[in-house]
Amino acid sequence: MKRALFSGNEAVALGAWCAGVRVAAAYPGTPSTEILEELARRPGVYCEWSPNEKVALEVGIGSCLGGARTLVAMKHVGLNVAADPWMTLPYIGVNAGLVLAVADDPGMHSSQNEQDSRYYARMAKVPMLEPADSAECFAMVGAALELSERYDTPVMLRLETRVSHSRTVVEYREERREVDLPYEKDAVKRVMIPGHARLRHPVVIERLEKLQQESERSPFNRVEMRSTRIGIVSSGVCYQYAREAFPEASVLRLGFVYPLPEKMLREFASHFHRLYVVEEMEPWIEEGLKAMGLDVVGKARIPRDGELDPDVVARSLSELLEMDTGVRGGGWSPPPERGELPEESSLPARPPVMCPGCPHRGLFYALRRNRAVVSSDIGCYTLSVLPPLSGIDCQVCMGAGVGMALGLEKAFASSEANAGKACKVVGVLGDSTFIHGGITGLIDMVYNRTPTTIIILDNRTTAMTGFQDHPGTGRTLMGEETHALDLAELARALGVESVRVVDPWDLAQTEAAVAEEMAAPRTSVIISRRSCVLREHREGAPYRVDVERCDACRRCMRLGCPALVMRGEAAAVDEDLCVGCSLCAQVCARGAIEEVSGHA
């Protein structure tokens, strides 16, 4: 038996490998990305970055039906993309086991919403496990695969940011179980024409009733009995918060979270005046307990938004616990004041900015100069929404930037209130997000004759999540060389009349291309291509300002480059940050910014 520190994502990957997973698919998305990166390093597993989460799940469905244990991973918003196959998969069932690992992001560290994925398990009538630490991440993957095969259903493994990224000790044997099940054709069960689907829905409901009995006897649901005055129900990382905040409280720790173990919950509740539920985001467990008629307190006290921690849990419940039980502060002792530390609100604001030399900066400078109305996707380039570039008007999710551009253009075309804006609409998205969800929008744009420009910000990687490859980079997750999708040829094949490739470090070329395509009455695509500066590292000599020629016009500051600052009455370049992109020199009307000569 080995013991080692693993993050939750690493433990999921190790557990999947030990349990015999042979196929895994995902689209990278924080906080779930490392699961596939870790699993791909192990032998005997095919791993892929799929173009999007829907495709990843469809690959997983095929592989599990083909007899291979399968893992599919994604972040919470990715489950929206995969929702279509997800809702029908329980009808057709599995052959070998399939686990869907979904990582939620309370606090929105890297997400556009705080969606609670637990509702997708309930909606699809699929069992759900929720680990509280890395040891449970490791154990639950194997248990979920066995559950999947025993009940002929996919199983959701729900993670949260703090579980995915925190490291705790895992005890394990590095042994792999080989699973290879025969494929059998069964069209009535696996082809969901309406007549077949009507036969399968009652099966799904009956299965859920059996799964509730499984939940009652699951070793992942257990009572930790201490004081009979305070009873808490919790799951996932919130269990850790509850234990730390109220160490004397009794806790029902849920790991098999759906269906809820009703008998176990009722028996636990019988010891207390009422129960307290500690969970992040939505009152998912609380609603289940209230539906059973139990007296519980949860979101009436604990915040429904943002990420919890032991201090938030303690401050939320201590007053009520003291009133209910007479236990001072519910057993919580406030930490000593730390007067020497400044409050977070008093610290200088440090808004996120694009990196020095970021290739997106030149493109958004050009868009601003052309007064474009910009709809955007999710990616590093979304940071251009901040001043001074202020380069984005609207953004929702991957793929939506193209469709929203079409909608804006059609609205402006028939609007007197927005006269003159119809020719100003531009949609922007990254190379990876174009492949993920932008292609169909571009087909729609061509089909419906929309005179709008779409700009693909091609930095040759999936930068936002840590430089993952995609079908346009010419390399797979397994490290193999492969065909590189030609985005320009693809756009032409879709019917786009004008496709141009520009270097965003060449401002004159970029500005001219943007102006010309915005003025042309046609659907056009500009590919703004230059590798991410963080991946390529420094490419040239740094620049500096000749203070004698600088007249403090601040034009260079409009680029929003972190390497540029004002020192007194002149601009200055921080040579340690400058990567030599030359954009500042290109915008300086007085020629006061120049390359440092003799730089090694």
Side-chain angles (χ1 to χ4, degrees):
M1 186 73 74
K2 296 181 177 179
R3 298 180 84 246
L5 277 174
F6 287 112
S7 71
N9 284 347
E10 291 169 340
V12 169
L14 177 62
W17 183 81
C18 290
V21 163
R22 285 194 285 127
V23 176
Y27 182 83
T30 306
S32 67
T33 307
E34 299 84 3
I35 295 174
L36 264 284
E37 290 178 327
E38 289 297 322
L39 190 54
R41 296 191 177 112
R42 295 188 169 270
V45 187
Y46 167 78
C47 293
E48 71 162 47
W49 292 131
S50 303
N52 62 39
E53 295 83 357
K54 178 175 180 288
V55 175
L57 183 54
E58 290 161 349
V59 170
I61 293 171
S63 65
C64 79
L65 293 181
R69 283 190 163 185
T70 300
L71 176 78
V72 179
M74 58 192 66
K75 68 182 296 181
H76 60 297
V77 290
L79 188 48
N80 299 332
V81 182
D84 199 359
W86 173 247
M87 295 302 297
T88 303
L89 172 56
Y91 282 51
I92 71 170
V94 299
N95 180 19
L98 185 147
V99 171
L100 177 68
V102 180
D104 285 0
D105 187 17
M108 295 178 281
H109 298 279
S110 183
S111 306
Q112 64 269 41
N113 68 35
E114 280 192 319
Q115 176 183 308
D116 193 328
S117 295
R118 294 178 292 180
Y119 291 95
Y120 271 111
R122 181 184 291 168
M123 189 159 54
K125 301 181 180 65
V126 165
M128 175 172 61
L129 306 184
E130 185 176 10
D133 54 31
S134 298
E136 286 196 340
C137 286
F138 173 80
M140 282 187 180
V141 175
L145 287 163
E146 291 178 6
L147 194 70
S148 175
E149 290 166 2
R150 193 152 21 106
Y151 286 92
D152 191 23
T153 176
V155 176
M156 179 188 287
L157 184 71
R158 191 245 186 176
L159 307 162
E160 293 173 285
T161 301
R162 295 298 165 187
V163 171
S164 287
H165 290 170
S166 297
R167 289 179 177 272
T168 57
V169 173
V170 178
E171 293 188 353
Y172 64 102
R173 294 184 188 281
E174 199 155 347
E175 297 174 349
R176 177 169 165 83
R177 178 184 175 188
E178 297 297 338
V179 177
D180 186 10
L181 301 182
Y183 170 78
E184 294 181 5
K185 183 174 181 177
D186 187 346
V188 174
K189 181 172 181 286
R190 292 179 179 151
V191 180
M192 286 303 99
I193 59 175
H196 294 173
R198 292 188 196 105
L199 297 175
R200 293 298 299 171
H201 195 190
V203 174
V204 174
I205 295 171
E206 183 181 354
R207 174 203 296 152
L208 194 63
E209 294 170 355
K210 294 177 181 176
L211 283 164
Q212 191 188 15
Q213 299 307 310
E214 187 75 29
S215 179
E216 299 282 359
R217 57 179 177 265
S218 171
F220 297 122
N221 293 335
R222 60 178 183 267
V223 173
E224 298 175 1
M225 207 67 188
R226 300 181 186 87
S227 163
T228 55
R229 289 188 288 186
I230 302 174
I232 295 175
V233 179
S234 191
S235 67
V237 71
C238 291
Y239 159 79
Q240 311 284 8
Y241 301 155
R243 285 284 295 117
E244 186 170 337
F246 302 109
E248 300 304 318
S250 298
V251 181
L252 200 171
R253 174 179 179 168
L254 294 172
F256 195 134
V257 183
Y258 185 72
L260 287 168
E262 183 171 348
K263 290 181 182 176
M264 178 181 283
L265 284 160
R266 288 188 183 281
E267 198 285 326
F268 182 68
S270 67
H271 297 282
F272 306 96
H273 170 63
R274 61 179 166 187
L275 295 178
Y276 304 87
V277 178
V278 179
E279 58 185 328
E280 282 179 322
M281 296 195 285
E282 299 302 311
W284 193 89
I285 296 174
E286 181 182 344
E287 289 173 350
L289 270 56
K290 285 181 175 175
M292 298 174 195
L294 299 176
D295 185 7
V296 300
V297 172
K299 293 304 173 182
R301 293 279 177 163
I302 296 176
R304 195 168 177 168
D305 66 312
E307 192 173 30
L308 302 182
D309 60 35
D311 196 47
V312 171
V313 171
R315 293 181 190 279
S316 300
L317 291 180
S318 59
E319 181 183 351
L320 183 63
L321 282 168
E322 185 170 332
M323 290 170 55
D324 281 355
T325 66
V327 178
R328 184 177 176 81
W332 172 60
S333 299
E337 293 294 330
R338 295 180 295 181
E340 72 280 7
L341 296 176
E343 293 294 328
E344 184 176 335
S345 59
S346 68
L347 297 174
R350 291 180 294 177
V353 295
M354 291 191 293
C355 305
C358 175
H360 304 328
R361 179 171 286 104
L363 186 279
F364 280 98
Y365 184 83
L367 288 174
R368 183 178 169 87
R369 296 261 292 174
N370 282 282
R371 301 180 184 279
V373 176
V374 180
S375 62
S376 173
D377 274 32
I378 301 287
C380 305
Y381 41 87
T382 316
L383 298 175
S384 68
V385 70
L386 300 171
L389 291 170
S390 303
I392 294 176
D393 290 72
C394 53
Q395 168 264 326
V396 175
C397 64
M398 288 192 281
V402 182
M404 287 193 297
L406 187 155
L408 283 166
E409 179 68 31
K410 298 300 183 187
F412 290 162
S414 58
S415 170
E416 293 184 4
N418 296 291
K421 291 183 179 176
C423 60
K424 294 291 186 182
V425 176
V426 172
V428 300
L429 72 172
D431 45 343
S432 184
T433 54
F434 175 67
I435 296 167
H436 177 282
I439 295 173
T440 49
L442 188 58
I443 293 172
D444 192 17
M445 191 165 279
V446 172
Y447 174 61
N448 286 296
R449 306 176 65 84
T450 308
T452 297
T453 299
I454 298 301
I455 300 178
I456 302 172
L457 302 161
D458 184 4
N459 61 1
R460 318 302 299 153
T461 187
T462 312
M464 191 74 167
T465 47
F467 310 124
Q468 288 76 33
D469 284 295
H470 58 68
T473 64
R475 184 177 291 273
T476 72
L477 172 58
M478 307 287 281
E480 299 170 334
E481 299 290 334
T482 186
H483 173 76
L485 180 65
D486 187 323
L487 301 183
E489 287 302 314
L490 175 62
R492 293 187 184 99
L494 296 180
V496 177
E497 294 177 61
S498 176
V499 180
R500 303 167 69 159
V501 179
V502 301
D503 179 356
W505 278 13
D506 185 336
L507 265 186
Q509 178 199 42
T510 303
E511 280 195 53
V514 170
E516 290 167 13
E517 294 302 341
M518 287 175 64
R522 62 194 179 202
T523 303
S524 60
V525 166
I526 297 174
I527 299 175
S528 177
R529 179 173 293 159
R530 180 169 277 275
S531 295
C532 174
V533 71
L534 287 182
R535 196 171 203 187
E536 297 301 319
H537 307 295
R538 175 170 292 187
E539 294 206 354
Y543 279 67
R544 66 183 175 193
V545 177
D546 182 342
V547 295
E548 298 298 324
R549 283 187 281 171
C550 177
D551 62 354
C553 70
R554 293 176 175 263
R555 181 176 296 180
C556 59
M557 305 303 291
R558 296 173 194 165
L559 289 165
C561 178
L564 287 164
V565 295
M566 292 299 296
R567 288 183 182 152
E569 294 301 315
V573 176
D574 184 335
E575 294 183 15
D576 290 331
L577 294 178
C578 179
V579 301
C581 73
S582 83
L583 288 180
C584 54
Q586 293 178 55
V587 303
C588 180
R590 295 179 62 84
I593 304 178
E594 55 190 14
E595 191 177 37
V596 175
S597 60
H599 178 80

